Structure formats: structure tokens, C-alpha cells
Amino acid sequence: MQIATKPLKRVEVITVSGRVDSSTAPEFERVLKDTLEAGRHQIVLDLEKVDYMSSAGLRALVAALKTARRHNGDVRLANPSNRVSEVLQLAGLTSLFEVYPSQVEAVGSF
């Protein structure tokens, strides 16, 4: 798994690629937590190149969303891969997250 963060004026863009599973989810969670603790509560997660996301990855997503919303922020998803979209649907999380077809649209939604 690779994670790249890019701070923009009002939004932190986090691009994830590879597998988010039980062995990589702690790093994913740490990046999200560090971003939120730095006061960056508007997050766009670009999930276009994520091949697989386990329940551990979903837990990290939901935890980050709850923390962001407590601080009047949000976590929005950009261009999730088909696999990630399926997992979000199966877990019943599609109603929790705003999903956009591109990173630009997700950033512009803030």
C-alpha cells in the first residue's frame, strides 16, 4: 500500500493505492489520525487505485469520518475503484460517505 498526502488550501487530499488490509490498515489509520490531529478536518480520499479494502480499512474510514464531523469537517471519497465501491455497498456505508467521480469534483465540493 502507498499513501500520498497533498495539502491544499482548505482540503487535505490523501491518495491511497494498493491493498488496505489487516496488515496495512494501521498505517492507513495513522495517516488519517495524524491529518485530523493536525487540524485538517476536510479530507478527500482518492481511492481509485485501491485493489482491496478489508473491514479494518473500513473501520479506519468510519473512525476518521466521525472525528472529522465532530470538528465540522467531512471525509469525502473520490473515484473509488469498483472493488472499494462493492465493499462500501456490502457494508452498508454508501449512505455515510459522499462519493465523487473525480478528485477535482470531491475537492470542489468543500
Side-chain angles (χ1 to χ4, degrees):
M1 177 187 73
Q2 287 88 34
I3 300 177
T5 59
K6 181 170 70 175
L8 301 176
K9 261 187 191 166
R10 300 172 307 172
V11 180
E12 189 83 15
V13 176
I14 301 174
T15 304
V16 185
S17 58
R19 293 174 59 87
V20 182
D21 55 25
S22 56
S23 62
T24 58
E27 181 188 352
F28 178 56
E29 194 170 10
R30 184 188 52 75
V31 169
L32 291 169
K33 196 173 180 182
D34 290 351
T35 300
L36 291 161
E37 286 176 356
R40 306 285 288 171
H41 300 116
Q42 315 267 60
I43 297 174
V44 168
L45 278 171
D46 189 329
L47 303 175
E48 179 180 12
K49 294 183 175 138
V50 174
D51 307 324
Y52 173 81
M53 183 171 288
S54 72
S55 58
L58 294 177
R59 275 193 302 277
L61 277 179
V62 171
L65 179 67
K66 286 181 179 177
T67 302
R69 288 191 174 161
R70 269 198 306 268
H71 294 93
N72 297 317
D74 202 6
V75 175
R76 298 185 183 168
L77 309 181
N79 198 14
S81 65
N82 289 338
R83 297 279 301 172
V84 171
S85 293
E86 283 175 27
V87 169
L88 287 168
Q89 280 187 318
L90 289 171
L93 298 176
T94 51
S95 61
L96 279 183
F97 292 95
E98 289 185 42
V99 180
Y100 294 87
S102 74
Q103 190 182 108
V104 171
E105 289 175 79
V107 169
S109 70
F110 279 103

